[in-house]
Structures are given as C-alpha cells and as structure tokens.
Amino acid sequence: MNTYCVSTLPFSNFNLKEFVGEFSQAGVSAVELAQTHYSNTDPKTINELRAEYGLNFKSLLSTVRVDAPGGLEELISILDTAERLSISTVSIASGGNESATTREVDRIISLLRTITKEAYTRNLNLALYAHEGSLAYNLEHTQKLFDAITYENFGFYYSPYHFHRAGDDPVVALRTLSERLFSVYFNCGVDSQTGSEPFWGPEMDFRAICKEIERVGYTSEIMLIYLGLNTESPQPIIDGILNARTKLDTYFS
C-alpha cells in the first residue's frame, strides 16, 4: 500500500493550521513545506502539528536558483531553516537554463557541490528535481550533474512529467538514475488549457511508470502537488489531492 506526501505550495494563501489537519483524513502521512510556510513557521508550531496529526514533515521545497545573485546564500539560509525545524531534506532546482554553456555548467556544478557540502555539515539531504527552463531539464543534463556530484546526501527527486516534457522516456529516466533516488512526485491538478484532471501529461504510460517505481524498490511516500485551483478555502485542493491519490492507486494495482 502506498503512502503519500503533499506539497503545501498550492495552499500558499492559507495558514498551515487551516489545512494540514485534513491531510490525515485524506490518507496523507507526510508534508513538503513550500517557502511561504517554512519561512513563517517556528519549530514549536511544527512540533505541535507533528504530535497532533502524526505527520512527517519530510522536506522543504526550494525554487531558488543556486547561480542567481545571492542564490547560494539564500539556499544556505534555507538549509538553516530545515535544521531549525528538524526537517531532513531540502528539494532543490539546478539553476541555469536549458542552453547553458560549458562554462556555465561548470559553475553550477561547483555551486551545487558547495551547497551539498553545506547540507552535509547539517546532516541534511538535498533532492534535485529536473524542471524545464533549468539546466537539469532532461535526462542527459540531469545525469551529468549526478555524475559530477557523487556525495551520498545529493539525490534524485523523480517526476515523470518533467522528463516527458523534455522528450525523454520517464521510465528510462527513472531506471537510469534509480541508484540516486531519494523521492518521487507526481504533478497533478487542473490543466489550465483543457480543464482536465488529475494528472498532467495524461498521455504518459502511468502503469509502466508505477511498475518501474516498484521495480527499483522505492517504498517511501509519493508526493502529490495539486496545482491549478484558485479557491477561497483549502477544501477543493484537498478534494483534488484525494482524487489524484485514488487514481494513482489504480495504476499501482
């Protein structure tokens, strides 16, 4: 039976206490905090929510570019926040862009090595996610980063959707990088163009992807990030997460 994690990014307009209590009712056992929430939350609040709802506050989501002006310093500050909140993992982007030069790639690798070492001194893991518009947008570039940065606390945050968008086979991407696998997430929500839900890239072979997730031995929580709703209350987003979780379970069955 799968266990699930939810990103708080779609809940940015709401206080944590307004919605996390609903997660356990939705079969969710873990939470990835977006910057809106971890920037404004103290350890006492996180500990109270852990105790009350039995939730694993698993990771912090960073969208900071390590190569942006002040990016390294901002990422180090996020590491300090993770340490302060007793959260073990920070999910990070690569920075850069899809057409980065060799010199730019080398600089990003150097910066990522630096932040990885900073994470290690704090006993933290970094989970790198591939995303269009960044250097790690496809399998080739993502693998290049992992070949260059071999620290055990620098791992892979797999999303089939972004590899699909880059023109790669999501199953091949997972198989290729599985030895560095830390986390898995699925992009779901309302498609702004079609209004369809729950999963982006519905043309993907979800059964094959889920079979590969099982084959590589991943047993931790699967994160769902449900985007595309602008609501006055958290409930429609929570309902969407429930729908996505139920649908995803059918692909694993």
Side-chain angles (χ1 to χ4, degrees), residues 14-241:
F14 309 105
N15 184 280
L16 276 177
K17 292 184 177 180
E18 293 182 70
F19 60 88
V20 295
E22 301 295 325
F23 286 168
S24 58
Q25 302 298 319
V28 171
S29 58
V31 177
E32 178 166 88
L33 292 172
Q35 187 163 3
T36 300
H37 296 112
Y38 63 73
S39 297
N40 298 305
T41 303
D42 56 42
K44 180 175 181 291
T45 299
I46 294 295
N47 288 332
E48 288 174 348
L49 294 172
R50 282 189 178 111
E52 185 171 359
Y53 300 113
L55 291 169
N56 171 24
F57 285 86
K58 181 179 181 178
S59 54
L60 306 185
L61 172 64
S62 167
T63 58
V64 174
R65 291 169 50 106
V66 69
D67 58 327
L72 182 61
E73 292 75 15
E74 189 173 352
L75 276 169
I76 290 173
S77 176
I78 293 170
L79 297 182
D80 290 338
T81 299
E83 187 177 29
R84 181 169 55 88
L85 297 178
S86 299
I87 292 174
S88 63
T89 300
V90 177
S91 305
I92 63 169
S94 66
N97 58 62
E98 298 177 6
S99 58
T101 65
T102 299
R103 182 177 180 181
E104 290 168 338
V105 171
D106 289 344
R107 178 170 178 263
I108 287 170
I109 288 172
S110 176
L111 289 167
L112 287 174
R113 280 201 186 109
T114 298
I115 197 65
T116 302
K117 291 177 183 177
E118 291 284 345
Y120 182 81
T121 65
R122 294 163 175 80
N123 197 29
L124 297 173
N125 291 322
L126 296 180
L128 178 79
Y129 57 87
H131 202 287
E132 62 265 24
S134 67
L135 172 61
Y137 77 98
N138 66 3
L139 177 57
E140 179 185 357
H141 285 201
T142 304
Q143 187 170 16
K144 182 179 293 186
L145 293 179
F146 282 113
D147 287 344
I149 304 170
T150 58
Y151 297 99
E152 290 184 358
N153 66 316
F154 183 74
F156 174 40
Y157 199 172
Y158 171 67
S159 165
Y161 174 72
H162 291 294
F163 286 108
H164 172 71
R165 279 288 300 265
D168 291 314
D169 183 333
V171 173
V172 172
L174 176 56
R175 185 175 302 148
T176 302
L177 297 170
S178 61
E179 290 187 2
R180 305 293 291 275
L181 183 64
F182 276 3
S183 301
V184 169
Y185 77 99
F186 283 82
N187 299 73
C188 52
V190 179
D191 187 300
S192 60
Q193 295 182 336
T194 67
S196 64
E197 60 173 333
F199 293 105
W200 296 3
E203 66 277 10
M204 290 189 294
D205 188 345
F206 282 91
R207 291 194 183 278
I209 291 165
C210 293
K211 183 177 180 180
E212 189 65 18
I213 290 170
E214 292 180 323
R215 192 197 69 78
V216 302
Y218 183 80
T219 57
S220 190
E221 297 94 351
I222 294 172
M223 202 273 281
L224 300 173
I225 182 165
Y226 195 94
L227 301 169
L229 289 180
N230 185 14
T231 66
E232 295 182 0
S233 80
Q235 195 58 50
I237 306 173
I238 292 167
D239 291 342
I241 291 166

